[in-house]
Amino acid sequence: MIRVKGTAKVRCDYEVVLPMTEEEFDRLSEKKQNELLDTSIDWKDALRSGWMDEIEIDYLAEV
């Protein structure tokens, strides 16, 4: 038997409705836009239809 540890990067599509105009959104810094989107996305729902983009093995050992 082996133990494998690593990192998997998952991609997913999302859609949110924000209570602001496009101009208001554009005036936000990129960091603020990302924070707003991050807190508005229903991640559990979005990741249900996600797919693996990349997988890395960081550690492998026999147990």
Side-chain angles (χ1 to χ4, degrees):
M1 204 179 332
I2 63 171
R3 177 183 315 246
V4 180
K5 292 184 180 182
T7 304
K9 294 181 181 179
V10 178
R11 294 180 68 95
C12 64
D13 295 324
Y14 69 88
E15 181 176 339
V16 295
V17 176
L18 301 174
M20 60 178 44
T21 66
E22 185 176 344
E23 291 80 20
E24 290 171 322
F25 184 79
D26 287 340
R27 280 196 298 266
L28 298 173
S29 68
E30 182 178 351
K31 181 179 179 183
K32 290 291 186 187
Q33 289 176 351
N34 289 340
E35 288 173 354
L36 178 60
L37 291 172
D38 184 34
T39 59
S40 299
I41 294 170
D42 179 346
W43 286 108
K44 186 175 179 182
D45 185 55
L47 290 172
R48 280 192 183 113
S49 61
W51 61 95
M52 187 176 340
D53 188 46
E54 182 180 326
I55 191 163
E56 296 176 17
I57 296 173
D58 298 327
Y59 173 81
L60 184 135
E62 293 218 22
V63 291

